């Protein structure tokens, strides 16, 4: 199975939507598919994103090894998971594709922004965090994600690095007003206040930073209803290429149900799942129509295709 | 012989596989279960599900265990996949039953590997009268360690006897990010009670604020919900292992476990472990005692000069942790009293900027004077927070720290602070005992030559 991320994810997303329309689904169903698939892209991105973080931890550990120390098994384990793909690039592409399907998905934009920071693209990251600070999170976001507040804090960090200290302080203050305790990171704020010579306020903030609190990484705090890859289609817990094709089952008449990019496809008997890979080669509408004659139907659930 | 109950709570294919591939084979090393069974009337109690009990009963290694100890299955549920709370409850039930039987207890998690002398050495300390033992462990990646241990078992077809050093070498190879993130090399952190320092080519130095007990006497030692030594525990009650040659355990975790807990771009510092240690579930009377111990986890013979450098760094950082813990307790106690916010803020600032650890009287009972807000008059010394006033802030604080506990009859008038200053016109409003120190709240406390 293979996939490539061509330029123009919006075009790809629209073409996949066209598959549904050709299959006879109404706009409301398509909108629901877009919502589901955007979450699946986010979920796929999050799995790769976790590997980015773990790789950073283990890279630091590996650099401190002594001569003759065994190479960390972490790299062997993750090589099997990643298949040679770069977790950061995969995560970035997943979030980008998800945003093409659902531009108002604050969670995906926040996560993408953290990756942009890793690439050193501070300007783009700031713009993204600033947008997220004012976007509504998912309706059933978990309370401890504090997505807007975390985005505000990130803006504050970038502003502070730029030397815009008063603006940074305002962002930190806004965050702490919302979240109360912010874990060890909270110390940034009184330190900045000292630099701004707001000594009395700094002292109060040092006192606030004394007790235990925890800052959860919102990147990894999913809304309660975030759609995950179906267990019958994709192995749980491991990084996944969301545009890979996953066989689901073979029906009694020889037709195959496959899963790709949040949609289930029913392929006519005799047709290999690899043929459906051509869905990803969206060179022209003519090509898509020719391809689609070979596909009976596609749907957001396997159940609909078993009938 | 004194009764001893070893207890495991386990269910599900993943944990049963880990148990039978790794934990039980290393348990059967001659220096572990067989050695312990020579000195104690030992029972191995497995709490599990119906299904898994049936599988385990007929496993050759479980049968082999009965050559050494009595075996007892507690089938605690008919559910195939009980909720996590069962794990905690089953262990506490095992403790209660052992207590009733006058037995000692040790926890044997299913997803671990022991060094070949761990239980034997643990038993020696319990036989010598210790009320508990605390052992170091390292988190390793279950996806990679299990095949490695399975390969060892294939050559022995039964017990696996690994030395502490070989086990530590395996730990370095299969290190899990959850442990790696607690090392001095890491740019990231996580909520942690421990910190680790690399000693290149030889191992890791471990310091921690507290550790769960591996074994304990439930009739003589109070155990907290998370199996720490609890109320009433005294310093010599618990043997703390300080060398992995003596005891070592590797604890398995799936690679992607708990990623959401990591703190990005925020390496662990002493104050963080102090806060963590004050969480109600982690706060125990022996925390300061644990914090004193340097624990060497090594896979080579120790070169003292290399370890001395790491130990010096660790001592500096953990002094910060211990001081932070004491001061956080003092500030919390004074906050309850109320009316001392200015002093608390100055103390907090000094602590969190690392200004206090070097001179703080660690393990020396002292008197800490805390002025009320009224004592400062109309001009609290907020300028002490200026970036170029760090020395002055430090001096202000230590002008109010006196070695020795407070004696009301003698007061403070003739005592010198650690800076050599004296306090003028000390009017005592309240006296508290906190973290082994006397905390004296005063309505007026100008130090010689200074206002406030």
């Amino acid at each position: 199975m293979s996939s490539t991320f061509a330029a123009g994810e919006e075009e790809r997303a629209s073409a996949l939507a066209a598959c549904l329309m050709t299959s006879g689904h109404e706009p409301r169903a398509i909108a629901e598919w877009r919502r589901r698939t955007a979450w699946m892209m986010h979920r796929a991105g999050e799995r790769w994103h976790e590997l980015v973080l773990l790789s950073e931890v283990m890279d630091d550990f590996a650099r401190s090894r002594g001569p003759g120390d065994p190479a960390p098994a972490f790299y062997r384990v993750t090589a099997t998971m990643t298949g040679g793909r770069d977790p950061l690039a995969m995560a970035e592409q997943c979030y980008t594709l998800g945003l093409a399907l659902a531009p108002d998905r604050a969670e995906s934009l926040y996560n993408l922004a953290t990756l942009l920071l890793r690439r050193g693209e501070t300007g783009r990251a700031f713009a993204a965090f600033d947008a997220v600070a004012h976007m509504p999170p998912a309706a059933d976001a978990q309370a401890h994600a504090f997505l807007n507040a975390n985005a505000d804090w990130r803006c504050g960090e970038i502003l502070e690095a730029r030397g815009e200290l008063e603006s940074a302080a305002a962002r930190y203050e806004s965050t702490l007003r919302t979240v109360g305790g912010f874990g060890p990171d909270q110390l940034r704020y009184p330190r900045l206040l000292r630099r701004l010579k707001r000594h009395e306020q700094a002292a109060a903030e040092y006192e606030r930073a004394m007790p235990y609190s925890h800052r959860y990484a919102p990147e990894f705090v999913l809304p309660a209803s975030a759609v995950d890859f179906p267990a019958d289609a994709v192995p749980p817990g491991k990084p996944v290429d969301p545009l890979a094709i996953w066989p689901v089952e073979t029906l009694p008449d020889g037709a195959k149900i496959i899963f790709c990019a949040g949609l289930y496809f029913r392929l006519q008997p005799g047709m290999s799942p690899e043929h459906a890979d051509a869905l990803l080669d969206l060179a022209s509408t003519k090509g898509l129509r020719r391809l689609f004659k070979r596909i009976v139907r596609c749907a957001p659930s396997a159940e609909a295709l078993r009938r | 012989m004194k009764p001893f109950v070893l207890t495991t709570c386990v269910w599900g294919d993943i944990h049963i596989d880990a148990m039978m591939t790794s934990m039980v084979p290393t348990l059967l090393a001659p220096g572990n279960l067989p050695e312990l069974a020579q000195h104690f009337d030992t029972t191995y109690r497995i709490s599990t599900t119906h299904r898994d009990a049936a599988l385990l009963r007929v496993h050759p290694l479980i049968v082999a265990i009965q050559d050494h100890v009595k075996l007892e299955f507690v089938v605690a549920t008919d559910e195939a996949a009980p909720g996590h709370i069962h794990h905690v409850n089953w262990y506490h039930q095992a403790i209660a039953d052992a207590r009733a039987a006058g037995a000692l207890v040790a926890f044997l998690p299913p997803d671990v590997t022991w060094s070949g002398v761990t239980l034997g050495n643990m038993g020696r300390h319990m036989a010598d009268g210790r009320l508990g033992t605390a052992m170091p462990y390292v988190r390793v990646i279950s996806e990679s360690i299990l095949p490695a241990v399975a390969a060892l078992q294939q050559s022995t077809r039964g017990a696996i006897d690994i030395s502490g050093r070989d086990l530590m070498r395996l730990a370095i190879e299969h290190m899990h990010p959850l442990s790696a993130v607690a090392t001095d090399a890491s740019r990231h952190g996580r909520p942690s009670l421990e910190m680790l320092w690399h000693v290149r080519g030889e191992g890791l130095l471990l310091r921690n604020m507290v550790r769960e007990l591996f074994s304990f006497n439930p009739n003589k030692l109070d155990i907290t919900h998370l199996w720490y030594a609890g109320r009433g525990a005294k310093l010599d009650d618990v043997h703390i292992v300080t060398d992995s040659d003596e005891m070592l355990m590797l604890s398995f975790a799936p690679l992607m476990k708990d990623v959401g807990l990591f703190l990005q771009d925020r390496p662990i510092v002493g104050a963080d472990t102090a806060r963590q240690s004050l969480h109600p579930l982690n706060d125990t009377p022996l925390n300061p005692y644990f914090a004193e111990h340097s624990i060497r986890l090594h896979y080579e013979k120790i070169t003292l000069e290399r370890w001395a450098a790491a130990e010096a760094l660790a001592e500096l950082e953990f002094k910060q942790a211990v001081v932070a813990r004491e001061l956080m307790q003092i500030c919390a106690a004074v906050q309850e009293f109320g009316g001392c916010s200015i002093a608390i803020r100055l103390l907090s600032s000094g602590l969190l900027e690392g200004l206090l650890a070097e001179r703080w009287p660690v393990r020396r009972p002292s008197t800490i004077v805390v002025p009320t807000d009224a004592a400062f008059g109309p001009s609290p010394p907020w300028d002490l927070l200026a970036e170029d006033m760090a020395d002055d802030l430090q001096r202000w604080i230590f002008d109010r720290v006196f070695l020795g506990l407070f004696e009301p009859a003698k007061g403070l008038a003739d005592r010198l602070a650690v800076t050599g200053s004296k306090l003028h016109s000390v009017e005592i409003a309240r006296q508290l005992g906190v973290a082994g120190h006397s905390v004296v709240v005063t309505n007026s406390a100008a130090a010689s030559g200074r206002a406030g």
Side-chain angles (χ1 to χ4, degrees), chain A residues 46-47 49-78 81 114 118 154 183-187 190-191 194-197 199-217 219-221 237-239, chain B residues 141 143-144 169-178 180-181 183-188 190-191 198 200-202 204 255-257 259-266 272 275-276 279 299 324 327-328 331 335 341 344-355 382-390 393:
Chain A
E46 189 227 355
R47 291 192 193 180
H49 199 154
E50 289 180 341
L51 271 184
V52 171
L53 176 58
L54 296 182
S55 297
E56 288 170 351
V57 171
M58 293 310 296
D59 288 348
D60 291 341
F61 181 80
R63 268 192 288 275
S64 291
R65 285 161 53 224
D69 281 0
F74 171 83
Y75 296 107
R76 298 198 296 275
V77 174
T78 52
M81 288 178 170
T114 67
R118 282 179 163 85
R154 293 284 199 161
D185 286 306
Q186 194 168 339
L187 211 48
R191 284 179 172 158
R194 280 179 84 200
R195 291 174 68 187
L196 290 169
K197 302 187 185 350
H199 299 135
E200 183 174 353
Q201 194 179 359
E205 292 302 325
Y206 277 114
E207 182 191 5
R208 280 181 71 187
M210 286 280 271
Y212 176 82
S213 62
H214 185 66
R215 176 189 183 187
Y216 290 91
E219 299 95 301
F220 309 122
V221 180
K238 298 293 190 289
Chain B
I141 300 170
E143 289 93 333
S144 63
R169 189 171 284 281
L170 278 176
I172 295 293
E173 181 181 357
H174 298 274
M175 180 70 60
H176 194 288
L178 283 170
V181 80
T183 66
D184 53 336
S186 182
R187 78 189 82 165
H188 300 309
R190 64 169 170 84
H198 284 265
R200 268 184 194 266
E202 295 192 13
L204 294 169
L255 177 61
M256 310 305 283
K257 183 177 170 67
V259 180
L261 287 182
F262 283 56
L263 299 166
Q264 296 175 66
D265 301 311
R266 188 63 171 82
D272 301 335
R275 279 192 201 86
Q276 192 74 11
H279 189 289
Y299 48 88
L327 270 161
M328 287 171 182
C331 288
Q335 268 169 339
S341 61
I344 288 173
R345 287 171 186 184
L346 294 173
L347 281 168
S348 303
S349 306
L351 172 67
L352 295 177
E353 286 307 318
L355 301 178
W382 298 126
D383 60 326
L384 290 173
L385 271 288
E387 288 183 298
D388 58 352
M389 294 285 280
L393 174 60

